[in-house]
Each structure stands twice: as C-alpha cells, then as structure tokens.
Amino acid sequence: MSTTAIAGPATAAETGATPSKKRALPYRTISWIVPVLLLLTWELLARTGVIAPNVLPAPSSVGTTAWHLTETGELPRHLWESLKRAAVGLFIGAGVGLVLGVLTGFSKLFEALIDRNIQIVRAIPFLAILPLVMVWFGVGESGRFFLVALGTLFPIYLNTVLGIRQVDPKLVEMGRVAGLSKLDIVRAIILPGALPSILLGLRLALTNAWLALVIAETVGAPAGIGFMATNAREFLQTDVIVLVIVLYALIGLTTDLIARALERRLLAWHPNYAPSGGRK
C-alpha cells in the first residue's frame, strides 16, 4: 500500500525567497514636514495679501532682510554679542548649579542649608528681579551675565539632585560588597547613573539661557539680538522683529541638537541612548 506525502506550505528558506521586512517610518523626515508646510502657507498668505506686510512679512522678505544685515556686518556683530553672553552665563550658572546639586544630592546637611533657599529664589520671576539687578550691576555686561547664570542654575541643580537620588540603592550596595571605596562608588556608579538626568538639565538650561537673555538684552544693551528687536520695535520694522524671533528659534534648535549629540556620545553605554536602543 503506497502512502502519499502531504506537502505543507513552502517556507522562505526552502524557496530561497527573502522574508519581507517592515519598513520603518522616516520619523526624522516627517518631523520636518510640518515646519516646511507652515512656511509655505505663510509665504502664500503673505504673497496674496491675506496677511499684511506690516503685520507679518513673508519669509522671503525676512530672508532678504537677513541677507542685507549680514552683508553690512550688523547681524553677525549682534549675534556674536548674544552668543558670548549666553555662553558666559551658561558656564557660570551650570557650574554653580552642578556643584550645589552634587552637595545637596549627597548630603542631608547641605540640603537643609541650600535647597529651600534655592526654591524660594527659583519662584521669583525674572521681570520682578530685573530692577534689583539693574541697581546692583547697572546696565553693564555683569548684570546680563548674572541673569543668564541665574536662569541656567536652577535646571542643572534640580536635575543633578534628582539624578543622584534616583540611583538604584542596590547598585550602591553591590559596589560596597565588591569592596569599592566611597570615591569609586561615586565615580563608577552614582555619577554615571545620574548623568542622564544631568544632561537633561543641561538641555533645559540651554533653553533658559536664551529666555533670560531676551529679558537682559532689552534693557540698556548696546548690542545683541534683543537690542535688535527693541530697536526694530521703535521703528516698526516688523521684518527685523520676525528675523529676531526666527534667530532665537534656530539657535534654540541648534543648541538642542548639540545637547542631544552630547547625550548620545556620553551615554553610548546606556540602552536607551544606544543607536539600536529603544530611543528613536
């Protein structure tokens, strides 16, 4: 009696066919589609007269103004002054915030001495403290450095404390069992564990630096992007005002991209920041 074999469905390996892979959506490309569409819509509405030029000039008009100010050297000079103030203030504020955050994160005594005072100062709006800063420092550069440093101190401080406190105690205990000294535990376990939170604080501090600088440069500044906006307001130069807003947006985007690149480099060991990790 002969038997007949029942053949099952052929597999991809048997047929030699390559299994189809699910194509990933181009998220980075999609993220740029909406801004581009908004720019095109803005240009179209301005060109057709739906939006009056004195209310909101077309992007092409703003670009022409930027080119003209660049040729005259005015835009690079103001941009350099603002970048310098932001960098100096960020360096001071981030340094002080990091030191205070480390002290508070490791010591209950320093937390009792420092934390409540910082929370009180953090609740004061910039516009409320501005008159006092002008009395202290006048209209010179030191007052602007102080405001930027003050704005960048808080996110670095808060995220440093949070990062240190969120380190898994089991990892610390494992380090003690392995015979690591206190310094080695801090260097090999606590600081790497707190680094993602600290870098997040840096990203927030970069944003706060420009928010503080906007306020600082609108009062008595002889140069800078904020000075350009104040001067343009006096002469109803809406194209320059929009240019300043666009510059702030581009600078914020650029600094955030730099901070993200720094995260990927310093946190390459972290599964959520690795190229093949869960973070996209």
Side-chain angles (χ1 to χ4, degrees):
M1 182 176 178
S2 61
T3 59
T4 305
I6 301 175
T11 62
E14 293 173 348
T15 59
T18 304
S20 59
K21 294 183 179 180
K22 186 178 179 180
R23 291 188 61 185
L25 290 173
Y27 293 109
R28 291 188 178 181
T29 303
I30 293 174
S31 66
W32 287 102
I33 291 177
V34 175
V36 171
L37 288 177
L38 287 176
L39 281 175
L40 292 175
T41 304
W42 175 10
E43 179 74 24
L44 179 63
L45 293 176
R47 291 281 185 178
T48 55
V50 176
I51 302 177
N54 61 336
V55 174
L56 189 64
S60 57
S61 176
V62 176
T64 303
T65 301
W67 179 260
H68 173 70
L69 293 176
T70 303
E71 283 186 328
T72 60
E74 186 176 353
L75 181 58
R77 179 173 65 89
H78 291 300
L79 184 58
W80 166 248
E81 289 295 327
S82 293
L83 289 173
K84 181 177 65 176
R85 291 170 186 143
V88 173
L90 177 65
F91 179 78
I92 297 172
V96 174
L98 182 64
V99 171
L100 294 179
V102 170
L103 292 175
T104 303
F106 282 109
S107 172
K108 291 290 185 181
L109 174 61
F110 277 103
E111 181 182 9
L113 293 173
I114 296 173
D115 187 68
R116 192 172 302 277
N117 300 299
I118 288 184
Q119 300 303 334
I120 292 172
V121 177
R122 187 172 69 93
I124 302 175
F126 277 114
L127 291 176
I129 202 174
L130 183 61
L132 186 59
V133 172
M134 293 181 65
V135 171
W136 286 348
F137 300 100
V139 293
E141 292 297 312
S142 54
R144 298 181 189 97
F145 293 151
F146 175 81
L147 282 175
V148 176
L150 190 65
T152 56
L153 183 151
F154 301 125
I156 294 290
Y157 167 80
L158 292 173
N159 282 274
T160 300
V161 175
L162 179 64
I164 292 173
R165 298 285 173 84
Q166 284 185 336
V167 174
D168 192 346
K170 295 179 181 179
L171 294 177
V172 179
E173 184 63 28
M174 188 182 301
R176 292 196 184 102
V177 172
L180 296 179
S181 64
K182 289 185 177 180
L183 183 61
D184 289 335
I185 289 175
V186 171
R187 180 180 56 84
I189 298 176
I190 297 180
L191 289 183
L195 192 57
S197 183
I198 295 173
L199 291 176
L200 174 61
L202 178 61
R203 289 179 62 185
L204 297 175
L206 287 168
T207 302
N208 281 12
W210 291 103
L211 293 177
L213 192 63
V214 170
I215 298 173
E217 287 187 339
T218 54
V219 181
I225 302 178
F227 168 80
M228 285 180 60
T230 304
N231 194 51
R233 181 193 62 193
E234 298 295 329
F235 295 98
L236 300 178
Q237 297 173 319
T238 52
D239 53 346
V240 177
I241 296 175
V242 173
L243 173 61
V244 170
I245 296 172
V246 172
L247 284 175
Y248 279 128
L250 292 177
I251 291 171
L253 176 62
T254 303
T255 52
D256 188 69
L257 290 175
I258 293 173
R260 284 176 177 269
L262 189 64
E263 279 184 345
R264 288 193 295 269
R265 182 174 181 83
L266 296 179
L267 300 174
W269 52 271
H270 199 289
N272 288 340
Y273 294 86
S276 59
R279 186 175 176 175
K280 300 298 181 185

